[in-house]
Every structure is written in C-alpha cells, then in structure tokens.
C-alpha cells in the first residue's frame, strides 16, 4: 500500500535541502574580495600618489625660493656695503635686487598655495584610509561569518542528504520518479496539501471525487491543474 505520508516526509526533507543549498550558493557567491573594498583601495592608492606629487611639487617650489634667497643675499650685501660708488651701477643693482624680490614674492605665494594643497591632500587621504580600514574590518567580519555559515550549511546538507536517502527508500521507484519529475516542473514542490477542496499548490477548487480519493490515501492522486500529488 502506498504511504502518502512517506512522500510528505520526503518533501519536507527536500524543501529543507533546497533551502539550504540555495543559502549555501548565496553564501559562497559572497565569499571573496569585495568590489567596494577594492574600489576604495584603488582610491586610497590614487590619493597617496596625488599626495606624493603635491609634496614633490611643494619641495620644488621651496627649493626655487631658497635659490632666490641665496641669490638675493649677496646682492643686497653688495648693495649696502658701500663698495659700489658708481650711481649707475648702484641703480642697476637695486633694480636687479627688486626684480629678484618680486620673483621671490611670487614663488612664496605659490609655495603657500602648494602647502595648502598638501594639507588638503593629506586630509583627503587620512579620511579615505579611515574609511578603507572600516570597510576592511566590516568585510573581514562578514567573511568570517560567511565561512562559519558555509561550514554549518554543508554539515546540515550532508545530514539532510542522509535523511533523504533513508526516506526515499520507503517510496517505490515508480512513485519516486513521478514525484521527482513533478518537483522539477513545479519549483521543488512535488506534493500539495488539501485545504477542504482546494489544492494548496495552485489554489484550484477540486471535484469532490478527486478530494475523496486523495483523502483515502490508498493511491496516488494528482491535482488535474498543477499535477502535484495531493494529501490531506
């Protein structure tokens, strides 16, 4: 005699298996490098390169200013030493010193801007590094949780697979083949419970004769609409 209850228990196991296999697939797909973390790493790398360039540029400007100061100092000393008596020579030297000082003032203004740029680049990099550290910590915690979940799901799947092998052994081959065919065709649900005269698989009202046969449990009765095996 066919035991519909064996099919129902098999369906419970298959539903549990399907759920855990889907969860395992999802967890495994999320295991590995994070696009968000990798994107932020690249951003931090770019900011570090920008900071290096800003610092290098600022050092070059400072070097230019130092060179101008080094050139102005001896010229001013010569200008005020009294060694030059010729008014024309003194005037020309004064013009040269004034021109050098104007150039130095421009370079110093550029240096102030460059220093401000370095400070801004340092602040942006610091904020990005902190954000990256937070993202990496969150990602690492998620990866640990996913690894634990994957190990747990694999253990549960192995247990349910053993349970399925046992429960399927109680169902004859022909009925098992029919059940599995229906499961593949209907989103993993091979059986459907009756709710009064309704098939809970497709919510269709069934003829009384089909309902009575299904409730007897003495034979396989399928819903004429969705083909699921009916039980009460």
């Amino acid at each position: 005699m066919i035991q519909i209850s064996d099919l129902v228990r098999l369906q419970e196991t298959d539903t549990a298996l399907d759920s855990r296999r889907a969860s395992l697939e999802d967890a495994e797909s999320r295991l590995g490098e994070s696009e968000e973390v990798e994107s932020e790493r690249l951003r931090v790398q770019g900011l570090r390169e920008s900071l290096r360039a800003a610092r290098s540029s600022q050092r070059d400007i400072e070097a230019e200013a130092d060179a101008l100061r080094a050139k102005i100092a001896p010229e001013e000393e010569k200008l005020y030493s009294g060694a030059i008596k010729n008014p024309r020579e003194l005037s020309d030297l004064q013009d040269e010193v004034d021109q050098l000082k104007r150039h130095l003032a421009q370079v110093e203004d550029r240096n102030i801007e460059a220093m401000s740029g370095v400070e801004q680049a340092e602040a942006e990099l610091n904020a990005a590094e902190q954000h990256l550290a937070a993202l990496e910590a969150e990602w690492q915690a998620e990866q640990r949780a996913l690894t634990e979940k994957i190990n747990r799901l694999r253990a549960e799947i192995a247990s349910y697979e053993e349970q399925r092998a046992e429960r399927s052994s109680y169902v004859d081959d022909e009925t098992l083949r029919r059940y599995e065919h229906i499961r593949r065709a209907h989103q993993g649900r091979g059986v459907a419970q009756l709710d009064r005269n309704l098939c809970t698989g497709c919510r269709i009202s069934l003829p009384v004769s089909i309902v009575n046969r299904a409730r007897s449990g003495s034979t396989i009765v399928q819903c004429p609409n969705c083909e699921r095996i009916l039980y009460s």
Side-chain angles (χ1 to χ4, degrees):
M1 180 176 177
I2 296 172
Q3 293 292 325
I4 300 299
S5 59
D6 292 333
L7 279 179
V8 173
R9 284 192 290 271
L10 181 58
Q11 177 67 79
E12 291 172 350
T13 300
D14 281 334
T15 299
L17 264 173
D18 291 344
S19 172
R20 282 155 180 80
R21 284 169 176 161
S23 295
L24 177 61
E25 183 178 356
D26 174 69
E28 288 177 334
S29 71
R30 291 158 54 201
L31 196 64
E33 286 295 329
S34 162
E35 290 184 7
E36 184 180 13
V37 171
E38 183 58 27
S39 175
E40 191 64 10
R41 283 174 182 160
L42 291 173
R43 178 170 172 266
V44 167
Q45 181 180 345
L47 289 172
R48 285 172 179 162
E49 291 172 358
S50 296
L51 177 57
R52 281 195 292 271
R55 284 172 172 167
S56 176
S57 177
Q58 196 259 328
R59 284 194 298 270
D60 289 344
I61 295 171
E62 281 188 344
E64 184 180 355
D66 289 342
L68 284 169
R69 292 187 192 100
K71 190 173 183 180
I72 290 169
E75 295 298 302
E76 278 192 319
E77 184 178 352
K78 186 189 299 183
L79 180 66
Y80 299 119
S81 68
I84 301 176
K85 305 298 183 179
N86 188 306
R88 178 73 180 187
E89 289 183 21
L90 282 173
S91 177
D92 290 345
L93 183 58
Q94 182 68 62
D95 289 343
E96 182 182 354
V97 169
D98 290 344
Q99 184 178 358
L100 287 170
K101 285 184 174 181
R102 286 193 296 272
H103 187 189
L104 175 60
Q106 293 173 352
V107 173
E108 286 176 337
D109 287 342
R110 284 167 48 211
N111 192 36
I112 291 172
E113 292 179 4
M115 290 172 66
S116 177
V118 169
E119 289 177 0
Q120 182 177 350
E122 287 174 340
E124 289 182 12
L125 176 59
N126 183 57
E129 286 177 333
Q130 289 182 12
H131 185 218
L132 175 60
L135 285 177
E136 286 181 328
E138 181 181 350
W139 171 74
Q140 288 168 358
E142 181 187 29
Q143 293 298 294
R144 287 192 295 270
L146 283 172
T147 300
E148 292 174 3
K149 183 177 182 180
I150 287 169
N151 291 336
R152 173 176 57 79
L153 286 169
R154 286 174 176 169
E156 290 179 2
I157 287 170
S159 176
Y160 276 114
E161 284 176 341
E162 290 180 5
Q163 186 181 96
R164 189 187 195 278
E166 180 183 356
R167 288 185 172 179
S168 62
S169 68
Y170 299 137
V171 181
D172 66 85
D173 291 344
E174 182 181 347
T175 302
L176 186 60
R177 281 194 296 271
R178 188 187 308 185
Y179 161 79
E180 290 177 343
H181 171 76
I182 297 168
R183 255 178 49 81
R184 286 192 296 271
H186 294 284
Q187 296 79 48
R189 297 290 300 182
V191 300
Q193 189 171 19
L194 288 169
D195 180 8
R196 292 179 294 243
N197 65 333
L198 291 178
C199 168
T200 57
C202 61
R203 307 305 298 178
I204 293 296
S205 180
L206 302 173
V208 173
S209 59
I210 291 179
V211 172
N212 288 338
R213 286 174 54 218
R215 284 178 175 160
S216 72
S218 60
T219 186
I220 294 293
V221 179
Q222 293 176 243
C223 172
N225 180 61
C226 70
E227 297 184 329
R228 290 182 175 91
I229 298 169
L230 300 168
Y231 72 96
S232 59

